Amino acid sequence: MDTAAAGRALELAGPLRDLLPPVDFCCAYGSSLLHARPDETSMVDYILGVADPLQWHSENLERNPEHYSSWMARRGPGAVTWFADRVGAGVYFNPFVQWRDKRIKYGVVGIKDLAMDVLTWDRFYLSGRLQKPVHVLVDNWDIRKVNTVNLKMATSASLLLLPQEFTEYDLYAKICSLSYMGDLRMLFAEDKDKVKKIVEGSFQPFQLMYRPLLQEYISDGILKTSTYGQQKAFKQDCGVSATSELFSSLPWTIQRKLQGRLTSNSKEMPTHAIVASKDMAARYVRTVLRRRVMVSSARQAVCGLLASGGAVAARYMGKKMSKAWKSRTS
C-alpha cells in the first residue's frame, strides 16, 4: 500500500481507538484506500481480531448499540456471536458506521478463529483477505507468524494453477483471484475488474509480500526468471517432483482430502502428498477452493442479510450492485 493509502488508513484508525473496545489485531483494507480521492459513499473496511468475541460484543453493544440492527441489539451479544459462527463464516460485520465525517465497516472475529482459518483455509474467507496487501494498524505476532505460512500456501496454489510461463503480474492476479473463485457475489454484486484494480493499485505491496517467497522457489529450482517487456517473468518446473513439493505446501486439510481419495482402499494415510501430474493437482485445488469460497461467501451473505436487517442489507447490496453494473457497462 502506498504512502497516501497508509496515511488514509492511519487517519481512519482514530475511530478504532476512540469508538470501539480494544482489539488484539486490526487491519484496514478496501478499494477506498487505493484511490487518492475516494467518493463520499465509500467505506474503509476493517478486520478486528479479539480474544473473546462474546465479551467484546457485549462491551460494544453498551457503547455503540446503533452500530447493530435494532433486532440484533435487543437479542444481545450471544445472538451476535451465534450468527457469526453458526450462520456466517466466523466474522460479524457492522457496515455503514458513521464516525464524524467518515464511514467505516468493521468485521469482528475471534483471534483463534482467524489464526485457524489462515493456517487451514477451512473457511477460506479472512485467510483470502490476508493474502492481499492490507494496512496493519494493530499488529499481532501470532497472526503475523501464521500469515507467513498463508502467503507461501497462496503462492504454491497459484503456481499450480498457472501455466509453465507467466509474468509477475499474472502471479499476483492469480493469488488475488483465489478468494474470489466460486464467490457468488462476483456474478452480480462485484466489479468485474476487481482483481485487476487490486493488483494494479497494490503492485509494489504485492512485491514486498511475495518476492522473498519467490526467491525461495528460485533457489529450490522450481522457478527460473526472465524478462517480459518491463516486467519480470517466470518459467516453472511442471514435473511431478516440483508439483508434489508445491502441493505439499498447501494446507493439510486440502492434502488429506486428496490423499484420502487416492487411498480409499488403504488402511494407512501416506505421509507425503501423492500427485500424479500438475493438471491433476490444479483441477483438485480449483475444485476445493471454489467449493469453500462458494460456501463461505454464501453463508456470510446470509448472515449479513439476517443480522443487519432488510433496510441496511438492501442499502449495502444496492451499493455493491451499482458498482458492479458500472464496471460492466463502462
Side-chain angles (χ1 to χ4, degrees):
M1 191 172 295
D2 61 24
T3 303
R8 286 190 291 277
L10 288 171
E11 176 189 356
L12 286 165
L16 305 177
R17 293 191 299 268
D18 302 340
L19 190 62
L20 303 175
V23 301
D24 297 304
F25 171 80
C26 170
C27 67
Y29 67 98
S31 58
S32 58
L33 288 179
L34 302 178
H35 303 300
R37 295 180 180 177
D39 61 71
E40 295 178 356
T41 62
S42 63
M43 291 187 291
V44 173
D45 299 343
Y46 295 94
I47 296 171
L48 310 180
V50 302
D52 186 341
L54 181 65
Q55 182 179 344
W56 193 93
H57 283 294
S58 178
E59 184 176 346
N60 196 42
L61 276 164
E62 291 184 7
R63 287 194 192 188
N64 306 296
E66 70 280 2
H67 291 186
Y68 302 79
S69 64
S70 57
W71 80 278
M72 186 60 71
R74 287 195 301 269
R75 280 160 179 77
V80 173
T81 54
W82 186 91
F83 261 90
D85 295 334
R86 301 297 181 87
V87 180
V91 57
Y92 187 94
F93 282 98
N94 278 327
F96 295 107
V97 172
Q98 200 71 32
W99 183 82
R100 298 179 184 173
D101 60 338
K102 309 296 183 183
R103 188 172 289 168
I104 66 173
K105 178 181 80 172
Y106 61 87
V108 182
V109 61
I111 201 81
K112 291 182 179 179
D113 294 332
L114 175 59
M116 184 61 68
D117 186 40
V118 167
L119 274 179
T120 67
W121 292 5
D122 187 40
R123 288 168 168 165
F124 204 61
Y125 191 74
L126 296 179
S127 50
R129 180 63 258 174
L130 293 182
Q131 291 165 2
K132 308 174 187 69
V134 298
H135 192 79
V136 176
L137 300 169
V138 179
D139 204 357
N140 181 283
W141 172 246
D142 290 332
I143 297 302
R144 179 188 290 196
K145 186 165 55 176
V146 297
N147 201 48
T148 59
V149 180
N150 185 30
L151 299 185
K152 183 170 184 178
M153 295 188 298
T155 305
S156 296
S158 297
L159 290 175
L160 290 171
L161 295 172
L162 284 165
Q164 186 175 27
E165 297 185 21
F166 55 91
T167 66
E168 189 173 13
Y169 178 93
D170 294 333
L171 174 63
Y172 300 149
K174 182 61 68 177
I175 290 171
C176 188
S177 70
L178 294 177
S179 58
Y180 296 125
M181 294 192 303
D183 191 335
L184 300 177
R185 297 172 302 172
M186 295 301 293
L187 299 176
F188 63 90
E190 289 289 0
D191 187 334
K192 69 179 180 64
D193 297 320
K194 189 179 184 77
V195 169
K196 178 182 177 182
K197 289 178 179 178
I198 291 174
V199 175
E200 291 180 352
S202 307
F203 194 80
Q204 287 186 331
F206 267 111
Q207 289 180 317
L208 289 173
M209 292 172 70
Y210 286 99
R211 277 198 168 176
L213 292 171
L214 295 178
Q215 191 58 50
E216 286 185 26
Y217 286 121
I218 292 170
S219 299
D220 292 341
I222 293 176
L223 291 180
K224 293 181 179 179
T225 59
S226 61
T227 56
Y228 180 79
Q230 295 182 337
Q231 280 196 63
K232 180 175 283 190
F234 299 94
K235 183 175 182 179
Q236 63 172 317
D237 182 348
C238 296
V240 173
S241 177
T243 297
S244 296
E245 185 172 341
L246 290 174
F247 192 82
S248 66
S249 298
L250 299 183
W252 64 269
T253 54
I254 293 179
Q255 292 185 54
R256 285 184 66 85
K257 281 197 173 184
L258 179 59
Q259 291 170 340
R261 284 186 179 185
L262 296 175
T263 60
S264 57
N265 296 323
S266 174
K267 293 182 179 180
E268 295 185 3
M269 193 76 73
T271 56
H272 299 288
I274 300 174
V275 182
S277 69
K278 184 174 184 295
D279 287 342
M280 182 191 108
R283 285 196 304 271
Y284 181 74
V285 169
R286 190 178 292 111
T287 299
V288 170
L289 292 186
R290 278 179 176 168
R291 184 179 298 121
R292 293 190 181 186
V293 172
M294 183 180 295
V295 171
S296 292
S297 63
R299 287 181 59 176
Q300 196 61 44
V302 171
C303 177
L305 179 66
L306 296 176
S308 61
V312 173
R315 183 183 176 193
Y316 181 68
M317 187 55 67
K319 179 175 177 288
K320 300 288 282 185
M321 292 180 70
S322 175
K323 289 176 67 176
W325 175 254
K326 287 179 182 178
S327 74
R328 287 165 170 77
T329 56
S330 60

